[in-house]
Amino acid sequence: MQGIFETQTNFIAAAAGVCVITAGMLVLLMRNSAYATHDQRCLVAVWVALVAGVGVWTTHFVAMIGYRPDAALTYDLPLTAISILVGVVLVGLPMAASLFVESEHKRVGLGVVAGLGVAAMHLTGMSALENCLAIYNPLTLLIGITAGIAGFVLAMLQEGDDLRSQLRKGLGMVAGVCALHFIAMGSVSIDLVEGIAYGIGGSFMSTLVATTSLGVFAVTVIGTMGYRRSLAMRRAGYWGESEFDRL
């Protein structure tokens, strides 16, 4: 559990908070998607992919900024950028695809892919650390990956628009990301090695993480407000004005 104990508590809490916010935004984006037009659903799918990918990436690196404060860790910029792409493609796209899939078996498959995507993003992000040798405990890492997959499968299987289903979906996402990340961090020990690589430092990484995540989240919030308003109008037409008044 060395990796957990070497991360500052306030950064662990901040990472968990980012994960909860991300899950909440995804639940709001995906809720009532059955009433969206095909074009609306395609647009929402783009935002779901971006929010999910960037949210997982932000959760990881917020925690990493607080890891080993004594070591002044630096990060390889190209690998850090690739890790965002890995999050969007391997986590965001399966989440987005679930908007178009009704089969329970296919949803389970998408959950498995998303969980493995979080693992791929985590390991890519860890590989961005410079002048370090990461040593993993394979069994603990496997437990973390399994927990991540289980969380996303649970989230994918929630199809109802009722509060209970939405809470289970959000909790599944949070559990999938946080369990995988923190169990995986518990499986790793980092040894500093002599090297000459000088990447981006913690201050620049903090700015990069904040700018990227806030930009994506801000645009998504604005877009979500208009999207949910149009969905409410469609639901009113589908259910009648009396139902619209209760939204």
Side-chain angles (χ1 to χ4, degrees):
M1 300 300 289
Q2 179 181 348
I4 297 288
F5 296 135
E6 291 179 333
T7 304
Q8 293 176 291
T9 306
N10 56 329
F11 283 92
I12 293 176
V18 168
C19 191
V20 170
I21 292 171
T22 299
M25 294 180 68
L26 289 171
V27 167
L28 288 175
L29 277 169
M30 301 171 76
R31 187 168 182 257
N32 298 327
S33 61
Y35 300 97
T37 65
H38 178 75
D39 289 345
Q40 285 177 324
R41 201 176 298 183
C42 289
L43 180 60
V44 170
V46 172
W47 286 113
V48 166
L50 284 173
V51 170
V54 172
V56 169
W57 179 83
T58 303
T59 298
H60 172 84
F61 277 101
V62 165
M64 287 306 299
I65 291 170
Y67 178 67
R68 290 293 299 270
D70 61 304
L73 298 174
T74 58
Y75 303 84
D76 180 81
L77 183 57
L79 276 176
T80 301
I82 289 172
S83 66
I84 302 179
L85 183 61
V86 171
V88 172
V89 173
L90 297 184
V91 183
L93 288 185
M95 294 293 296
S98 69
L99 294 171
F100 304 92
V101 173
E102 296 183 1
S103 166
E104 185 173 290
H105 292 92
K106 291 181 180 179
R107 284 179 169 269
V108 169
L110 290 173
V112 172
V113 173
L116 291 173
V118 176
M121 188 270 118
H122 176 88
L123 294 173
T124 305
M126 291 296 292
S127 69
L129 284 172
E130 295 183 325
N131 301 327
C132 295
L133 177 63
I135 302 173
Y136 292 91
N137 180 306
L139 179 58
T140 306
L141 180 61
L142 180 60
I143 291 172
I145 293 173
T146 303
I149 290 173
F152 275 93
V153 168
L154 173 65
M156 291 291 192
L157 291 176
Q158 308 308 311
E159 297 186 65
D161 290 331
D162 58 285
L163 180 60
R164 186 172 297 179
S165 295
Q166 298 304 303
L167 285 175
R168 283 197 295 261
K169 178 179 286 188
L171 288 174
M173 295 177 196
V174 172
V177 175
C178 289
L180 193 153
H181 174 80
F182 291 115
I183 294 175
M185 286 303 297
S187 76
V188 68
S189 61
I190 298 290
D191 293 328
L192 299 181
V193 297
E194 293 294 331
I196 58 173
Y198 297 100
I200 56 177
S203 297
F204 184 87
M205 177 62 76
S206 299
T207 303
L208 177 63
V209 170
T211 302
T212 304
S213 58
L214 288 176
V216 171
F217 289 171
V219 173
T220 303
V221 168
I222 295 171
T224 300
M225 292 173 63
Y227 165 70
R228 287 180 60 79
R229 187 179 301 113
S230 66
L231 280 189
M233 294 174 66
R234 285 183 60 82
R235 291 182 66 179
Y238 183 81
W239 285 339
E241 292 299 324
S242 61
E243 293 290 344
F244 177 73
D245 292 339
R246 292 202 289 268
L247 292 176

